[in-house]
Amino acid sequence: MVRGILPRVLWVLPLLLAASPAAAQELAGLSLQTVDRLELDDVVAGADGKRVVELYLRALTRHGDPIDDLRPAHLDIHDNGEKVDPDDVTIQKLGEARKGITWVIAIDASRTMLGDTFERAKAAAVDFLDRIGSHDRLAIVTFAQTVEVVSRFEDSRAEAGMRLRELEVDPSGLSTLFFDGVYESLDLIRRGSNLPRRAAVIVFSDGKDSGSSHSLEEVVELAKDSHVLVDTIGYARFGGGGLDTMAAVARGTGADFQNVTSTEDLQRFFNDVWRRLSHSYVVRYPWSMDGEAHTIEVAVDGQSDAIKATYPEISGPFWPWLLGVGGVAIAGLAGLVVLPRLRTAGRLVFVDGPRGGESFSLRRGRVRIGAIETNDLVIPSLTVSRYHAEVLVAGSRVEIKDLHSENGTLLNGNPVESAPIPLHPGDRISIADVDLVYER
C-alpha cells in the first residue's frame, strides 16, 4: 500500500512466484497500491458527548479505485499542528462500520433521453438497488420540465424498484430543470431525519439545463454545506454541450464525473460510485473538545488533504489535576481560570410544543441545530431541515446563522441569512415552526 513497503515486496516476489503464483499475485494486489488521491469529506467532533474526532475519508488509486488495505500506521494525522499518535487511531471501511449511506438517484427524464438510453439508465438504477446495504437509505428523483420525487427514503426497496421500472420519459417537455433536479435531491437529504451521515447523489443526464430557478453555484454550495458528494454520469446523445456542466458539479463537490460513450457502461459506472463510497473509511481518534476551531491534516503516500471544524466544548473531570498539583492556591487559580471557561454562554429555551420549557445550554464554539442526531441540538420535526442553523459562541459574543434551511430561521420575526447575526437576551428564534428564546 505505502511506498515504504515496496522494497520489501520486490525482493520477496520472486520467491513467492516460484512457490505460489497465486500468493504472489495477492501480495502484489494489496501492497503495490499507491494513494494518488486523498479526500477528507467530513468531520464529526464530540458526537454523543465523547471526546473523539471522527473523520470520513476516501483514498483512491490513479485509476479511481478505492484503496482496500489502509491502516492507522499509514496515516500521518495532525490536529492543529500536533501529531496524532497512530496507536490512538482506529480505522474502518464505511461498509464494515455499518453506518450506512444516504443515496439519491436523480435521472433526466427529458425527451433527449428517449429510447434505449433511458431504459438502460433505469436498469442500472434497479441493479444498484440490489447492491446497496441494509443500513443504506435511498430516494429517487426525476427531472424534465418539472422535478418529481418518485420514491422517498421511507419507501421499501421493492417500492423503489417498482417505481423505477414504471418511469417514462416526458416527450413533450420544452425545458430540462437539471440544476433544480440536483438541488431537490440535495434538499431531500438536508430535510430528511434519521438518515446516515454519509450521503451521495448520483445524477444521470446530458447536463443541458433550461429553465431552472437554481444555479450551478447554488447547487455546489448546498452540497458542500451538507457534506454530500454529487457524482455525475453524463451521456450526450446529441452533442456534448452539457457535459462540462456535469463535470463542474462533480468537481465542485469533491465527487467524480463519468462520460458514458455507450449505455452498456451505465451499470459499471453506477457500481463504481457505490464501491468508491462504501469502501471509503471512518477514522477515529481521541482529542480534546475545547470549543475551538481546528484544522485536521491527513497525509498518505505523499498525498494530503485538510478539513476544518469547530469542536464542541466537552469538559473532563479536573479535580484529580487539582489534587495532584496541590494546595488551596492552585484551587483558587483554577477557580479563576477554569471556571469561566465552563460558564454557560446562555441558553435556548423552547417556548411551547412537546419540549416547551426545556432548555439547552450554550458553550463556546459552534452549536449546530437540525433534525438529525449528529447535530448538537436535535429538533426532530418534519419542518426542521437536516442541518438547519448554527449558533456561534466566541467570548461574550453569541451569533446565529441559517444553513440554507428549507423553511428558514427567524430572529424576532426577521429572516436570518447565512451571515451571522448577534443574539441578545430575550431574542425569539424561530427554527421553522419551532420557537425558542435566548436567555443569559
Side-chain angles (χ1 to χ4, degrees):
M1 211 305 296
V2 177
R3 290 189 180 99
I5 301 174
L6 188 58
R8 295 195 294 273
V9 173
L10 291 178
W11 72 261
V12 79
L13 275 177
L15 297 177
L16 287 170
L17 283 169
S20 172
Q25 290 173 6
E26 180 179 359
L27 178 61
L30 288 175
S31 299
L32 296 183
Q33 285 184 304
T34 298
V35 176
D36 190 69
R37 176 180 163 196
L38 182 68
E39 300 276 0
L40 295 185
D41 294 324
D42 200 0
V43 57
V44 183
D48 300 323
K50 298 178 181 177
R51 292 188 286 274
V52 173
V53 177
E54 190 171 86
L55 292 172
Y56 293 86
L57 65 83
R58 287 170 293 147
L60 306 171
T61 70
R62 65 187 182 91
H63 300 295
D65 297 319
I67 300 292
D68 284 328
D69 60 338
L70 209 57
R71 300 288 181 267
H74 300 150
L75 304 174
D76 183 17
I77 305 175
H78 286 78
D79 193 313
N80 269 2
E82 183 178 347
K83 184 175 176 59
V84 177
D85 189 339
D87 290 339
D88 293 335
V89 176
T90 63
I91 184 169
Q92 282 182 296
K93 287 182 183 175
L94 192 65
E96 297 169 356
R98 297 183 175 275
K99 284 182 169 291
I101 302 168
T102 299
W103 299 99
V104 178
I105 298 176
I107 299 179
D108 188 341
S110 63
R111 58 184 178 180
T112 56
M113 295 290 111
L114 273 170
D116 185 60
T117 304
F118 192 71
E119 295 305 315
R120 286 189 179 273
K122 286 166 49 177
V126 169
D127 179 75
F128 185 81
L129 284 178
D130 296 332
R131 180 175 287 274
I132 62 177
S134 59
H135 293 84
D136 295 354
R137 302 283 295 279
L138 180 135
I140 302 165
V141 171
T142 60
F143 54 92
Q145 62 180 348
T146 60
V147 177
E148 182 181 357
V149 180
V150 298
S151 180
R152 298 184 177 274
F153 295 118
E154 56 267 27
D155 295 335
S156 69
R157 300 285 171 83
E159 289 176 303
M162 178 184 69
R163 291 171 186 170
L164 262 174
R165 293 181 182 92
E166 293 174 348
L167 289 181
E168 294 182 357
V169 165
D170 179 2
S172 61
L174 299 177
S175 59
T176 303
L177 305 183
F178 171 77
F179 291 130
D180 286 355
V182 181
Y183 194 95
E184 175 63 23
S185 301
L186 293 166
D187 207 37
L188 270 179
I189 297 172
R190 183 179 60 174
R191 298 195 315 264
S193 58
N194 299 319
L195 297 176
R197 184 178 181 96
R198 288 299 270 138
V201 176
I202 303 176
V203 185
F204 175 73
S205 174
D206 60 10
K208 294 180 180 178
D209 180 88
S210 56
S212 281
S213 60
H214 296 286
S215 65
L216 169 64
E217 292 73 20
E218 288 176 306
V219 166
V220 170
E221 182 181 12
L222 178 58
K224 292 171 72 173
D225 285 347
S226 304
H227 300 285
V228 179
L229 304 174
V230 182
D231 287 280
T232 57
I233 301 173
Y235 178 72
R237 186 178 181 185
F238 305 108
L243 299 185
D244 288 344
T245 298
M246 298 194 69
V249 170
R251 185 171 58 249
T253 65
D256 293 287
F257 165 70
Q258 300 281 358
N259 182 11
V260 183
T261 56
S262 168
T263 54
E264 296 178 357
D265 294 330
L266 273 171
Q267 189 175 61
R268 176 170 60 85
F269 286 141
F270 268 88
N271 291 341
D272 283 348
V273 173
W274 169 82
R275 187 164 179 264
R276 279 195 293 271
L277 199 52
S278 63
H279 287 223
S280 63
Y281 291 93
V282 184
V283 177
R284 301 180 186 87
Y285 61 88
W287 208 254
S288 172
M289 297 293 111
D290 54 11
E292 303 290 344
H294 284 246
T295 299
I296 306 102
E297 299 170 285
V298 180
V300 184
D301 277 356
Q303 303 299 317
S304 63
D305 197 12
I307 193 168
K308 295 182 178 181
T310 299
Y311 292 0
E313 189 167 34
I314 303 175
S315 302
F318 54 88
W319 288 112
W321 175 78
L322 293 178
L323 294 173
V325 175
V328 176
I330 299 297
L333 179 62
L336 292 173
V337 176
V338 177
L339 292 180
R341 290 175 56 87
L342 301 179
R343 189 176 297 127
T344 179
R347 61 180 186 162
L348 299 178
V349 181
F350 287 86
V351 174
D352 47 27
R355 299 187 64 177
E358 291 186 28
S359 64
F360 179 88
S361 296
L362 301 173
R363 300 288 186 183
R364 286 196 309 155
R366 180 185 68 174
V367 176
R368 189 159 55 184
I369 304 170
I372 65 172
E373 294 180 357
T374 51
N375 289 282
D376 303 295
L377 174 54
V378 179
I379 305 178
S381 168
L382 294 177
T383 62
V384 175
S385 295
R386 195 167 181 256
Y387 301 112
H388 196 106
E390 280 183 353
V391 175
L392 308 168
V393 180
S396 61
R397 188 174 180 84
V398 182
E399 300 173 315
I400 188 168
K401 71 175 186 176
D402 187 77
L403 298 177
H404 307 284
S405 63
E406 173 70 15
N407 294 312
T409 303
L410 300 179
L411 178 60
N412 300 323
N414 299 312
V416 175
E417 306 297 341
S418 57
I421 298 177
L423 283 178
H424 304 285
D427 280 348
R428 190 181 185 99
I429 303 164
S430 297
I431 305 293
D433 60 357
V434 179
D435 290 337
L436 306 99
V437 170
Y438 173 60
E439 297 180 352
R440 191 148 190 171

